[in-house]
Amino acid sequence: MRISSQYAWRALVATWLTAACTIAHAQTPLTVEINGVGTNRYPIAVSNFKGAAPTDIVSVVKADLSNSGRFNQIDTGGATVGVDDSVDLGTWRAKGANAFVSGTIVPAGNGNFQVSFRLYDAVNGQPLGGLALTSSSANLRLTAHKIADYIYQKLLGDRGVFATRLSYVLHSGSNYQLQISDSDGQDARVALNSREPIISPAWSPDGTKVAYVSFEKRKPVVYIHDLPTGRRAVLANEKGNNSAPSWAPDGSKLAVALSRDGNTQIYQVNANGGGLKRLSRSGAIDTEPQYSPDGKWIYFTSDRGGGPQIYKMPAGGEGEGAAQRVTFKGSYNVSPRISPDGKLLAFIARQGGGFKLCVQDMSTGDVTALTDTSHDESPSFAANGKYILYATQSGGRKVLAAVSVDGQTRQILQVRGGEVREPSWGPFMQ
Amino acid sequence: MSSLLRNILAISSLAALAACSSGVKLDDQANANKGQTTTDARAVAPVDASADELNNPNGPLAKRSVYFGFDQYSVDAQYTPMLQAHANFLNKYSQRHVLVQGNTDPRGTSEYNLALGQKRAESVVKALSALGANTSQMEAVSLGKEKATGTDEAGWAQDRRADLAY
């Protein structure tokens, strides 16, 4: 088992100015702390773009690339290079940059802006294309994230997740808020405000809805919340507990944990609330269902063997095939999450007195602890499978953290004056 | 003799009269009282709230928490008298319902603790049922670790409980 503290971590705190708060904006932005960076960082120079917009697009692009732990920013000395300007790549190569980015921002009418950029391979002296993106001033951060995604994919070969979103619960005093933010924790919006706890948010596959457990009726009830409209529908409110929603990959149904028959068991329910069907059949606790990316299996936590361990069963339930145990090391393994490519299982293991985020290689069974914190919970994979978002404690505070699946890059996201819990990393969106 | 007889008769009449006037007097008072309760706008009619046994802070129903040991989910015998009082109350008032909310200490993960808290709530519902309470008047639910406040062993012992919420 590899312990991440063997790496030398560098600490850097980056705080961004947020756009003027509207009523829907959260009042307390998340701050991001980068702990450690990858060993093979790609050197890139991003020039200032010609023109201006209400959002500092270049700063967002640079921060995205740096926060990924996979890029090293080459100082441009404040150079401004437009998208159609001729570029002396040899100069940038001499400064150590393997890639260079130029760009131009122009007003596009009705308060919109067109942001165009071009990416160059400075080593081979080749242009690597670019995009012209038009957006409202409210969506300029999204435009910046899309630029960073393009650069990330062109240079590293993996799809970027900068334009994806996070959901999490901010708890301050007696107030609970389900917030939706950009992938960097900025531009947070309040989706639900409540006096009672909210747990287990789960993104729909299309990224427009979040299912979650709310205690506003003095008991756990599962809701589906349509983010653009704010409309909520009860998904499961059976007698007893209703919890742990997980979307099937096609979005047509969800698996949930219900105690309607006495002990907590896993059920399937249509996304519109009908068609309840029991899937697990044990006299123990079966909870935390998670569909495999191909939709064929449901991974879940069960203490049917004594302590809690992770099992899998056919998505149609134990009636279609016996459940198989998946985790074997340690006496307490919970909260299974499957990587988008199906090759890694992330979960929380109790080790000593602590709870640690681990990954298990699905083919070899090898288990690796990814963090040096001891109160880890609620893991979720980034849509590209390269990072895991989770909740933990840092300096006695409840914070969010993200770690690369190789354990080399970690970020802490925290909110002043509040505790952040129950994170979930959203999917790619169109 | 005749004067004696007259005296006796006179005394009897007085006695009869006295009895008669006494009865009239009592009736007058009764009527006067009735008149007061229906016509006096300043009257205050008392209602005894302690008649609802649930609200008596000194009654057996004031106790509503069952505490559990670490990793324990069965109800200790010390809670039988308290639960018997609640079972009797539920039987007496068949329209009343109780939500039994299970809780855990803050260690561990949200969803698994939610399921563990549910086990505590189910244990209390089963105990109430065994003491004669109707299951249709009870619901076992869990708050998991969401309401836990403990930061040490003593605090965690307070967190590990099930509450009866009417």
Side-chain angles (χ1 to χ4, degrees), chain A residues 318-403:
Chain A
E318 289 193 71
E320 296 183 2
Q324 303 162 39
R325 187 167 160 180
V326 176
T327 53
F328 293 93
K329 292 172 183 167
S331 60
Y332 184 111
N333 296 309
V334 301
S335 304
R337 306 288 191 269
I338 317 301
S339 63
D341 63 6
K343 291 178 178 170
L344 282 179
L345 167 71
F347 61 101
I348 303 298
R350 185 170 67 195
Q351 296 178 354
F355 296 86
K356 297 187 77 70
L357 171 61
C358 295
V359 288
Q360 178 169 317
D361 185 309
M362 293 289 222
S363 55
T364 66
D366 287 348
V367 174
T368 306
L370 292 182
T371 72
D372 60 0
T373 44
S374 58
H375 293 86
D376 305 343
E377 46 175 324
S378 309
S380 70
F381 277 94
N384 66 0
K386 296 292 174 187
Y387 306 91
I388 301 169
L389 179 69
Y390 62 104
T392 190
Q393 290 184 23
S394 175
R397 300 270 312 281
K398 289 176 180 167
V399 300
L400 303 189
V403 61

Side-chain angles (χ1 to χ4, degrees), chain A residues 98-237:
Chain A
N98 286 0
F100 177 79
V101 180
S102 63
T104 298
I105 302 163
V106 293
N110 299 321
N112 294 334
F113 293 86
Q114 188 191 63
V115 184
S116 45
F117 71 95
R118 201 160 272 147
L119 172 67
Y120 297 90
D121 176 344
V123 177
N124 299 309
Q126 299 287 323
L128 294 174
L131 297 170
L133 303 164
T134 300
S135 75
S136 65
S137 63
N139 281 332
L140 285 167
R141 289 195 103 254
L142 175 60
T143 294
H145 294 316
K146 286 178 174 174
I147 293 170
D149 280 341
Y150 181 95
I151 295 166
Y152 186 96
Q153 183 161 17
K154 278 284 178 186
L155 298 179
L156 303 180
D158 302 320
R159 194 168 171 188
V161 287
F162 305 116
T164 61
R165 297 188 291 175
L166 314 180
S167 69
Y168 53 86
V169 176
L170 176 64
H171 177 205
S172 51
S174 59
N175 188 247
Y176 297 83
Q177 288 185 339
L178 177 70
Q179 297 195 348
I180 309 295
S181 77
D182 284 5
S183 67
D184 56 4
Q186 302 300 298
D187 210 19
R189 314 292 174 106
V190 178
L192 178 68
N193 207 20
S194 178
R195 306 293 281 182
E196 296 296 334
I198 305 159
I199 63 169
S200 304
W203 288 89
S204 64
D206 68 359
T208 63
K209 299 180 179 71
V210 175
Y212 52 75
V213 180
S214 170
F215 291 75
E216 65 203 63
K217 294 192 192 304
R218 303 202 299 169
K219 57 173 277 190
V221 172
V222 180
Y223 295 81
I224 290 182
H225 190 125
D226 185 64
L227 295 172
T229 63
R231 284 198 200 100
R232 299 202 300 160
V234 170
L235 179 74
N237 185 11

Side-chain angles (χ1 to χ4, degrees), chain A residues 12-16 30-34 63 67 186:
Chain A
L12 157 71
V13 178
T15 310
W16 286 273
L30 285 162
T31 56
V32 182
E33 180 182 344
I34 316 295
N67 290 356
Q186 302 300 298

Side-chain angles (χ1 to χ4, degrees), chain A residues 196 200 219 240 377 421-422, chain B residues 110-111 139 142 145 147:
Chain A
E196 296 296 334
S200 304
K219 57 173 277 190
E377 46 175 324
R421 289 187 56 208
E422 304 289 327
Chain B
S110 298
E111 283 287 356
E139 182 176 6
S142 177
K145 67 170 187 171
K147 299 284 186 176

Side-chain angles (χ1 to χ4, degrees), chain A residues 67-105:
Chain A
N67 290 356
S68 74
R70 300 182 67 181
F71 288 89
N72 178 33
Q73 300 290 337
I74 301 297
D75 184 14
T76 60
T80 298
V81 184
V83 72
D84 295 324
D85 293 353
S86 63
V87 177
D88 180 4
L89 290 174
T91 307
W92 295 109
R93 179 78 194 105
K95 292 186 181 192
N98 286 0
F100 177 79
V101 180
S102 63
T104 298
I105 302 163

